[in-house]
């Protein structure tokens, strides 16, 4: 259990290269289970969620080979439909995509209930279950496992999602890829990683149309073939470095991005007083003075992403005036606020609304990363704060940010990763 030590109050300058999108690749890796051939996947981020997923597939009999640090080859032809390894499955949320793909290939899945970031609220999977049932599967949840079965095979159907859910959209798309006939997902989520999963599946021979709109049509195919696919850049990782510049000041070129995917973030940063220059596959973010307050509501794509909310709040702690933030996706995603308060932030939370009153400076403190994006917010606050910040619980951060320490060091930040002796560790439950 290591931690980050940050000596803050330094502006960021230079260039940073964004890795592949974690939330795309965690669906693409399980999708390879349905492929009758070798998948070569490029631009894969080496983050712990991805490493765990590759391990799960290997334990189930897949052949996984790293060709270079960002390219893996996966061949699931020799896989058995084993019970998924429970200890590994509990370590990540995206393990639920195995239900869709195992149902697709074997018409049967036994998958330990997903773990993953805990925002302090419920993370239901009822919409996933509704979709599988519409395709003809019977689904039950007992003893911490999801059991799904369709002995006659899956049949295409109309699935109307009651809530716009990224996970349910992807999972139903996965299950429907090799079902008999056509599936239509209505009220689908539109995030870039949904389009990326559809593009991957189509590249392997699937027939999916409309991904990126709220109606997705999937004509089932009998088989998927191998091929090469490059994962899109991580929109949230890019946004995190952009938010860091807003907090510290400076000017950074963020490379390997799709600027269109960042528009929902860029618009808000410009309101805060940033200058954002869009290039072909990069954006340059420069913080102008002063840092303005904004009002913000998180929404499904193309709205402002909930996965950027904590990072932007960290920057808004230093804005002139009072910002009003409304969390429109998750019930409770403000657990990190208490940690920011330890650094001098003035934030009041009432249900889904946070009132952030800007302060002239934050001060370094010992803080805890309570989930992935909350952890990123702690790092951003630490980079801007006067004095030293110690961020504990960094395993959360490393689930989704590849080489974050090295990347920030490259921008001039004074951040190091240190190993904490057993006796000095902070208690986790605070
Ligand atoms: C994905 O989670 C991401 N995770 C999350 O990112 C992200 O916060 C979220 O989408 C929203 O963008 C992955 O892609 C692995 P949802 P997911 O289903 O799919 C409700 C990060 O930091 N809901 O879109 O689990 C749910 O309660 C992570 O990278 C149901 O009611 O989220 C929530 O209010 C954390 N029933 C809303 O929908 C369901 O069956 C959106 O959740 C499913 C969801």
């Amino acid at each position: 259990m290591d931690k980050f030590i940050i000596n803050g109050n330094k502006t960021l300058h230079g260039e940073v290269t964004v890795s592949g999108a974690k939330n795309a690749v965690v669906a693409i890796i399980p999708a390879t289970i349905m492929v009758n051939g070798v998948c070569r996947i490029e631009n894969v981020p080496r983050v712990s969620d991805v490493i765990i997923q590759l391990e799960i597939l290997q334990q189930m009999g897949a052949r996984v080979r790293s060709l270079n640090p960002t390219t893996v080859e996966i061949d699931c032809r020799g896989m058995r439909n084993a019970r998924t390894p429970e200890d590994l499955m509990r370590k990540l949320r995206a393990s639920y995509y195995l239900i869709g793909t195992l149902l697709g290939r074997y018409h049967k899945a036994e998958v330990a209930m997903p773990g993953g970031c805990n925002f302090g609220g419920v993370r239901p999977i009822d919409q996933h279950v509704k979709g599988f049932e519409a395709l003809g599967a019977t689904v039950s949840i007992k003893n911490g496992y999801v059991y799904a079965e369709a002995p006659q095979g899956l049949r295409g159907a109309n699935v109307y999602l009651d809530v716009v859910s990224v996970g349910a959209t992807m999972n139903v798309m996965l299950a429907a890829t090799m079902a008999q006939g056509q599936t239509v997902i209505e009220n689908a989520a539109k995030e870039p990683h949904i389009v990326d999963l559809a593009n991957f599946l189509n590249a392997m021979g699937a027939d999916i149309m409309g991904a990126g709109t709220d109606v997705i049509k999937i004509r089932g195919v009998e088989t998927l073939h191998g091929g090469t696919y490059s994962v899109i850049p991580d929109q949230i990782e890019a946004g995190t470095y952009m938010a860091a510049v807003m907090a510290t000041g400076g000017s950074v070129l963020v490379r390997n991005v799709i600027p269109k995917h960042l528009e929902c973030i860029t618009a808000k940063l410009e309101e805060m007083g940033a200058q954002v220059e869009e290039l072909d596959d990069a954006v340059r973010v420069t913080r102008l003075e002063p840092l303005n307050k904004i009002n913000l509501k998180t929404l499904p794509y193309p709205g402002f992403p909930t996965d950027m909310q904590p990072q932007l709040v960290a920057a808004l702690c230093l804005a002139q005036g009072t910002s009003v933030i409304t969390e429109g996706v998750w019930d409770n995603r403000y657990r990190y606020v208490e940690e920011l308060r330890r650094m001098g932030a003035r934030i009041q939370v009432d249900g889904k609304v946070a009132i952030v009153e800007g302060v002239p400076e934050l001060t370094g403190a010992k803080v805890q990363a309570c989930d992935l994006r909350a952890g990123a917010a702690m790092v951003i606050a630490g980079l801007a704060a006067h004095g030293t910040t110690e961020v504990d619980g960094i395993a959360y951060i490393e689930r989704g940010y590849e080489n974050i320490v090295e990347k920030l060091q490259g921008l001039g930040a004074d951040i190091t990763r240190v190993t904490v002796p057993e006796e000095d560790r902070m208690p986790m439950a605070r």
Side-chain angles (χ1 to χ4, degrees):
M1 244 203 265
D2 297 351
K3 64 182 170 187
F4 294 159
I5 309 281
I6 306 168
N7 293 308
N9 193 26
K10 291 184 176 54
T11 55
L12 298 178
H13 292 276
E15 296 183 9
V16 63
T17 301
V18 168
S19 302
K22 177 202 72 134
N23 286 346
V25 83
V26 294
I28 288 173
I29 290 171
T32 63
I33 291 178
M34 296 191 293
V35 175
N36 188 19
V38 178
C39 297
R40 180 176 292 192
I41 309 171
E42 301 169 344
N43 204 27
V44 175
R46 288 284 153 169
V47 292
S48 59
D49 269 13
V50 168
I51 293 163
I52 292 169
Q53 263 198 340
L54 291 172
E55 248 177 80
I56 291 173
L57 256 59
Q58 266 178 313
Q59 288 197 16
M60 293 170 72
R63 191 179 60 77
V64 177
R65 204 158 65 101
S66 286
L67 301 186
N68 62 46
T70 57
T71 306
V72 287
E73 243 182 30
I74 307 175
D75 181 355
C76 291
R77 283 174 294 185
M79 188 181 243
R80 323 167 287 285
N81 183 18
R83 234 180 189 231
T84 54
E86 185 170 347
D87 49 333
L88 291 177
M89 296 290 283
R90 290 207 189 285
K91 289 190 183 165
L92 76 160
R93 176 78 182 162
S95 52
Y96 52 40
Y97 294 129
L98 282 153
I99 311 171
T101 54
L102 291 173
L103 260 181
R105 173 164 167 184
Y106 299 103
H107 307 150
K108 189 174 185 292
E110 271 182 39
V111 174
M113 280 288 275
C117 279
N118 173 14
F119 308 139
V122 187
R123 294 188 67 175
I125 59 163
D126 57 296
Q127 296 304 306
H128 305 232
V129 173
K130 175 180 170 176
F132 299 143
E133 287 176 344
L135 297 176
T138 48
V139 184
S140 57
I141 299 176
K142 31 181 196 238
N143 308 118
Y145 269 76
V146 180
Y147 296 88
E149 203 172 358
Q152 314 300 322
L154 296 171
R155 289 179 319 276
N158 279 12
V159 180
Y160 180 88
L161 297 178
D162 301 324
V163 289
V164 179
S165 158
V166 171
T169 303
M170 304 243 238
N171 229 344
V172 176
M173 193 195 295
L174 286 164
T177 294
M178 289 173 60
Q180 277 172 38
Q182 177 172 281
T183 298
V184 179
I185 307 175
E186 289 182 83
N187 200 24
K190 298 181 280 215
E191 269 68 4
H193 28 291
I194 289 172
V195 180
D196 208 38
L197 175 64
N199 286 345
F200 166 79
L201 290 166
N202 283 341
M204 305 298 141
D207 185 354
I208 302 173
M209 284 183 309
T213 75
D214 52 14
V215 180
I216 304 179
K217 289 191 178 139
I218 305 132
R219 287 204 196 93
V221 294
E222 279 185 13
T223 180
L224 296 177
H225 53 74
T228 299
Y229 189 79
S230 184
V231 177
I232 51 164
D234 198 307
Q235 171 207 27
I236 304 298
E237 188 197 3
T240 300
Y241 290 111
M242 293 164 83
V245 180
M246 297 311 287
T248 64
S251 181
V252 167
L253 184 69
V254 185
R255 287 190 177 280
N256 187 34
V257 299
I258 297 174
K260 174 91 191 140
H261 293 169
L262 296 176
E263 278 171 3
C264 44
I265 300 168
T266 303
K268 283 299 170 187
L269 298 191
E270 284 175 339
E271 268 184 53
M272 287 167 72
Q275 187 180 60
V276 182
E277 190 189 345
E278 287 187 9
L279 308 164
D280 279 351
D281 61 352
V283 288
R284 176 176 291 285
V285 188
T286 307
R287 186 182 119 185
L288 309 174
E289 297 295 336
L291 190 59
N292 303 321
K293 68 175 174 79
I294 55 163
N295 293 340
L296 177 79
K297 181 166 185 181
T298 68
L299 288 168
Y301 191 82
F304 185 87
T306 173
D307 291 346
M308 277 299 302
Q309 180 257 101
Q311 301 91 309
L312 220 66
V313 166
L316 287 170
C317 288
L318 294 162
Q320 285 188 4
T322 300
S323 303
V324 180
I325 314 298
T326 308
E327 173 55 49
V329 176
W330 295 105
D331 284 342
N332 182 346
R333 205 172 189 177
Y334 290 124
R335 285 202 311 159
Y336 68 90
V337 159
E338 197 189 320
E339 301 299 302
L340 286 180
R341 285 198 197 113
R342 299 161 67 83
M343 301 176 74
R346 286 209 196 123
I347 309 176
Q348 296 304 322
V349 175
D350 184 7
K352 292 188 164 197
V353 177
I355 310 288
V356 186
E357 195 187 323
V359 293
E361 66 174 48
L362 294 174
T363 49
K366 290 189 180 194
V367 290
Q368 178 81 36
C370 52
D371 67 58
L372 166 58
R373 308 302 172 188
M378 295 305 125
V379 171
I380 290 172
L383 293 171
H386 290 250
T388 303
T389 296
E390 293 185 17
V391 184
D392 216 326
I394 62 169
Y396 280 118
I397 302 174
E398 292 175 342
R399 295 172 81 135
Y401 290 93
E402 183 176 49
N403 298 335
I404 187 168
V405 168
E406 294 76 5
K407 288 186 185 186
L408 286 170
Q409 284 170 345
L411 297 176
D414 182 348
I415 176 171
T416 42
R417 187 185 197 288
V418 296
T419 300
V420 187
E422 192 80 43
E423 60 277 14
D424 295 346
R425 284 180 188 167
M426 279 172 91
M428 280 299 282
R430 268 200 325 159

